[in-house]
């Protein structure tokens, strides 16, 4: 089996090249061809030494992920569904805004945390993604968008590890992927523009601070342990007191001087002013500099939950802002394409199994492509 070069950060690729008898600067050349130029075929890497170019196909490959489906929203959001084999699929979502373009990336096929309001959590855990599978989402999105926009400039300015999966439960694969995102020879993103979102894997937050301190977001969703135990089951292992202390310890290493708390607004569950007051008390008690991002819940059939009314979300935000905690309400994006994390993967899970059967028989995968909804526009001009 040849090595997939998407699995390596620059140090890993340098070690690989050295084993082939080539110096580090060859790894830099190779790395730039792959990540900066999106080239997968070694024969196109014209400034590589000829003997390396000729050797590479027998020992290495640059293997992205097959795209099973694409949905484009009228607001410019694009969701891709990638096949990771064995009937599993993961999603990445591109979210263009006036001043940035963010890619939301998955770290696992499914998720073991099982948050009550999360479509991915409802599907259970299948497996960790490899470093190459995490990076393949960015690699594909960046170079596909450049092709459509007919630009050689970088398109994706921010990455959030906020797709399917709990990234800190897939730590070994996550760290090299983050390093490639940050590497000037890779995607050259600043640490402020790469965010890891965790449901609160406390020990790994400390390790992230040491190994690769990028911006941190924490999925909070409740102001007390009793409610958070129900909404985010990991809370039973790492309760709020420990989580808040871990946030405080993270900040000295972080590229921003605050933690972002994500709070999904669920009608009648966690969205009253009493909850808002309890949230203020929680962050004050622990002295965690923070911003709070209120997320309108994206309903999905099996959840049994409802999105909080707009006025309730506004009143909640006003209460937090009045208490001096900077609070924003996340714009809902991609409403017309099931943009809630994991929804598309859930929708096509059965069809994905069909894809496998067809693939074994050598039939055309295009039969399961999801149609673009009416009125959606292309990203390309
Ligand atoms: S919200 Fe995140 S951590 Fe919770 S189940 Fe969904 S993917 Fe997993």
């Amino acid at each position: 089996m040849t090595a997939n070069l998407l699995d390596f950060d620059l140090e890993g690729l340098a070690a690989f090249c050295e084993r082939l008898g080539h110096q580090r600067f060859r790894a830099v050349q190779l790395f730039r061809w792959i990540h900066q130029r999106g080239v997968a075929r070694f024969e196109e890497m014209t400034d590589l030494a000829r003997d390396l170019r000729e050797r590479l196909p027998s020992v290495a490959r640059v293997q992205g992920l097959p795209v099973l489906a694409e949905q484009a929203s009228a607001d410019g959001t694009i969701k891709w569904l990638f096949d990771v084999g064995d009937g599993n699929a993961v999603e990445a979502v591109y979210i263009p805004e006036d001043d940035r373009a963010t890619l939301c990336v998955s770290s696992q096929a499914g998720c073991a945390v099982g948050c009550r309001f999360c479509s991915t959590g409802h599907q259970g855990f299948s497996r960790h993604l490899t470093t190459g599978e995490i990076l393949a989402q960015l690699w594909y999105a960046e170079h596909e968008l450049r092709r459509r926009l007919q630009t050689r400039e970088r398109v994706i300015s921010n990455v959030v590890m906020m797709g399917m999966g709990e990234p800190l439960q897939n730590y070994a694969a996550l760290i090299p992927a983050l390093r490639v995102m940050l590497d000037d020879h890779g995607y050259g993103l600043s640490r402020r523009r790469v965010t890891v979102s965790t449901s609160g894997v406390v020990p790994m937050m400390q390790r992230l601070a040491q190994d690769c301190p990028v911006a941190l977001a924490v999925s909070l969703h409740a102001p007390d342990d009793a409610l958070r135990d129900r909404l985010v089951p990991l809370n039973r292992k790492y309760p709020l007191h420990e989580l808040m202390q871990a946030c405080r310890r993270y900040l000295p290493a972080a590229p921003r001087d605050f933690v972002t708390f994500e709070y999904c607004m669920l009608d009648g569950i966690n969205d009253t002013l009493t909850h808002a007051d309890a949230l203020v008390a929680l962050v004050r008690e622990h002295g965690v500099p923070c911003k709070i991002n209120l997320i309108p819940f994206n309903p999905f059939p099996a959840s049994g939950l409802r999105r909080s009314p707009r006025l309730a979300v506004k009143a909640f935000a006003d209460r937090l802002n009045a208490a001096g905690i900077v609070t924003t309400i996340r714009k809902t994006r991609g409403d017309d394409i099931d943009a809630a994390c994991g929804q598309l993967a859930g929708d096509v899970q059965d069809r994905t199994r069909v894809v496998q059967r067809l693939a074994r028989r050598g039939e055309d995968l295009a039969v399961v492509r999801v149609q673009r909804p009416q009125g959606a526009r292309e990203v390309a001009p």
Side-chain angles (χ1 to χ4, degrees), residues 111-115 117-121 163-166 199 219 221 232 341:
C111 183
V113 177
C115 297
F117 48 85
C118 173
S119 176
T120 303
M164 299 170 69
E166 163 53 66
S199 56
S219 299
H221 310 304
V232 184
C341 164

Side-chain angles (χ1 to χ4, degrees), residues 200-222:
V201 188
V202 164
M204 291 301 159
M205 290 165 68
Q206 188 64 27
R207 283 190 59 188
L208 185 68
Q210 292 158 4
D211 295 338
C212 195
V214 293
L216 182 70
V218 171
S219 299
L220 196 60
H221 310 304

Side-chain angles (χ1 to χ4, degrees), residues 261 263 265 292-296 313 316-317 320 327-330:
F261 288 127
Y263 196 101
M265 296 291 286
I292 294 182
N293 192 15
L294 301 180
I295 307 168
V313 179
F316 198 97
L320 295 176
T327 303
T328 52
I329 302 171
R330 185 184 290 174

